[in-house]
Amino acid sequence: MSYHADDAKAIEIRPDWLQSYIDSPEKQRQLYKRTLIIVVLSQIFGGAGLAAGITVGALIAQDMLGTDQFAGVPTALFTLGSAAAAYIVGRLSQRFGRRSGLAAGFLTGGIGAIGVVIAAITNNILLLFASLLIYGAGSATNLQARYAGTDMASSKQRATAISTAMVSTTFGAVAGPNMVEVMGEFATSIGIPALAGPFILAATAFILAGLVLLVFLRPDPLVVANVIARVKSKEEVNLSIETPRDTQEINNHGVVLGTVLMIVTQLVMVGIMTMTPVHMRHHGHGLSEVGMVIGIHVAFMFLPSFFTGILVDKIGRSAMAIAAGITLLAAGVIAAFASADSMAGIITALALLGLGWNFGLICGTALVVDSTLPTTRAKTQGTVDVLIALAGATGGVLSGMVAAHSSYAVLSLAGGFLSLLLIPVVVWSRNK
């Protein structure tokens, strides 16, 4: 079923199956639970696909180009690709539903991962860069899938729904980096460069995630949520219930605050994370150690999500936004001053970096969901995720340049102190 959120006939003409969801709160609750299960399954695969790029993307470029200065370019490219994909997936989801938008994004990301493997085999740097752009679609979709769980959630369930989707990403995202060496050995055994091995896993994982959504995400939660919202809106008009004059202003304010929060956390996280594998390799750490550090980092990006969601719902958005800034600052300081030979110091810094990102993303996402209506939500979410991806691309590009012209320690400190911007932003929002 093709669905357009602006189609006024959607309220008057609808099939019996859709009417049954409108009439039954119990069926709505069942759809919410079913949607979460499907999203969880797709996120397990999606997380594995996501991990390849952040673990070995910079190392592939370093080997091909023979310099560290552009080692951040792969991260920048797949985050730029994810920016374009976020925009497209958001609009596809708004028009046709989550199923079509998310499935298309994951399948496209799988094609990009295949391109990276071919580029590594042929040592073609231009194909590598083009493929990383396409691979970014999987990264964007993996992030946007967190919204699908909120479509049928009540206002008190939203952060928890977001966190459930993100927790499930952990299983694949942690397994991915820790399979770097195994996949590298497998790739070598079939005549493919070792660093391309994780992208073989990424291609398989993204394609499986897309197929899960395409086959099982029925009925589409966003389609149902949109029509229910329109029915309620029509009923309120008929009952002459007035909407507060400042509703739109409040909505816009919440979207801005949530967006700024996610942009800063993404910029800081990507900047430090991108150069950590390169920093480790310079100090004699092997691929297995790099994979372990990134695996722990990714675990802290996603695994605490369930508890984070509960905290965001219970103690409030502002408190968790401040916690995000403080945690990222701690990560930057530890990364800067920890001995490069100390695995414990690097692991602690990257764990805190992931945790701070987790706080910021779940809190910011909840603010955006709180501040949008179902009839325009997916489109707005797509636009917000474009800005987040662009922040990641900026962090990826600048990280290599800053580290090459100064040091990893300077990069880490800069990221940590940048995160302190979140505190005045939250204070400003409270005074509005």
Side-chain angles (χ1 to χ4, degrees):
M1 173 183 173
S2 175
Y3 182 84
H4 196 301
D6 295 326
D7 188 352
K9 295 180 181 179
I11 294 179
E12 305 300 335
I13 302 172
R14 48 185 176 263
D16 292 340
W17 69 265
L18 190 51
Q19 185 64 51
S20 69
Y21 281 95
I22 295 169
D23 295 338
S24 173
E26 178 59 29
K27 290 200 72 172
Q28 294 174 25
R29 284 191 291 270
Q30 290 174 358
L31 179 57
Y32 165 65
K33 293 177 182 178
R34 173 181 168 79
T35 298
L36 275 184
I37 292 171
I38 302 306
V39 169
V40 163
L41 186 56
S42 71
Q43 290 294 83
I44 291 173
F45 291 121
L50 171 69
I54 64 176
T55 306
V56 299
L59 300 180
I60 290 178
Q62 183 189 34
D63 282 357
M64 283 191 179
L65 296 170
T67 177
D68 292 348
Q69 185 168 351
F70 301 105
V73 170
T75 301
L77 286 171
F78 74 69
T79 47
L80 279 173
S82 71
Y87 181 87
I88 295 169
V89 169
R91 268 124 186 99
L92 282 175
S93 297
Q94 192 71 65
R95 184 171 182 83
F96 299 107
R98 296 285 187 196
R99 185 174 72 94
S100 298
L102 296 177
F106 273 130
L107 293 173
T108 302
I111 293 170
I114 292 171
V116 172
V117 175
I118 296 172
I121 294 171
T122 60
N123 198 35
N124 188 324
I125 193 69
L126 293 179
L127 178 59
L128 173 67
F129 288 166
S131 298
L132 284 168
L133 277 169
I134 300 171
Y135 167 80
S139 174
T141 309
N142 192 78
L143 201 56
Q144 280 216 16
R146 76 194 189 277
Y147 289 119
T150 69
D151 289 329
M152 297 300 299
S154 68
S155 59
K156 294 181 179 180
Q157 295 174 315
R158 285 169 182 162
T160 303
I162 295 162
S163 64
T164 301
M166 290 183 63
V167 164
S168 61
T169 306
T170 308
F171 297 104
V174 173
N178 285 292
M179 290 183 69
V180 165
E181 196 162 15
V182 173
M183 291 305 299
E185 291 172 358
F186 169 74
T188 303
S189 71
I190 59 175
I192 295 174
L195 289 176
F199 281 95
I200 298 174
L201 175 64
T204 305
F206 277 157
I207 290 170
L208 286 173
L211 292 175
V212 165
L213 291 163
L214 192 62
V215 173
F216 296 110
L217 196 60
R218 302 168 184 266
D220 193 290
L222 185 59
V223 171
V224 176
N226 280 340
V227 176
I228 290 173
R230 286 182 172 275
V231 169
K232 287 182 178 178
S233 178
K234 185 179 181 182
E235 289 173 351
E236 289 175 355
V237 169
N238 291 338
L239 291 171
S240 299
I241 297 176
E242 294 184 0
T243 302
R245 292 181 181 180
D246 61 345
T247 296
Q248 189 59 48
E249 180 182 348
I250 294 173
N251 286 345
N252 289 336
H253 178 64
V255 170
V256 170
L257 177 59
T259 302
V260 170
L261 176 57
M262 290 187 281
I263 284 174
V264 173
T265 54
Q266 183 77 356
L267 181 66
V268 173
M269 187 277 290
V270 171
I272 298 174
M273 175 272 298
T274 296
M275 292 309 297
T276 298
V278 176
H279 173 67
M280 291 179 68
R281 290 251 289 199
H282 279 322
H283 290 85
H285 296 287
L287 267 182
S288 61
E289 291 173 307
V290 171
M292 182 177 71
V293 168
I294 296 300
I296 292 171
H297 166 66
V298 174
F300 274 83
M301 285 173 66
F302 296 102
L303 194 56
S305 296
F306 184 71
F307 299 103
T308 303
I310 293 173
L311 288 172
V312 170
D313 279 336
K314 295 293 185 183
I315 70 174
R317 279 53 165 158
S318 297
M320 292 305 294
I322 292 173
I326 294 172
T327 305
L328 289 171
L329 172 63
V333 171
I334 293 172
F337 293 107
S339 169
D341 298 324
S342 170
M343 283 291 290
I346 296 172
I347 287 171
T348 300
L350 269 288
L352 288 172
L353 187 68
L355 183 63
W357 178 87
N358 178 272
F359 289 168
L361 189 78
I362 293 180
C363 184
T365 301
L367 283 164
V368 171
V369 174
D370 289 344
S371 307
T372 52
L373 298 173
T375 48
T376 58
R377 184 168 293 155
K379 184 168 63 176
T380 303
Q381 290 162 345
T383 301
V384 169
D385 277 6
V386 168
L387 298 175
I388 295 170
L390 290 174
T394 303
V397 170
L398 293 179
S399 64
M401 295 180 178
V402 171
H405 289 93
S406 55
S407 67
Y408 176 77
V410 170
L411 170 69
S412 300
L413 283 175
F417 285 110
L418 179 63
S419 66
L420 288 180
L421 285 175
L422 295 176
I423 296 176
V425 167
V426 171
V427 172
W428 166 79
S429 70
R430 282 179 166 178
N431 293 331
K432 289 294 285 184

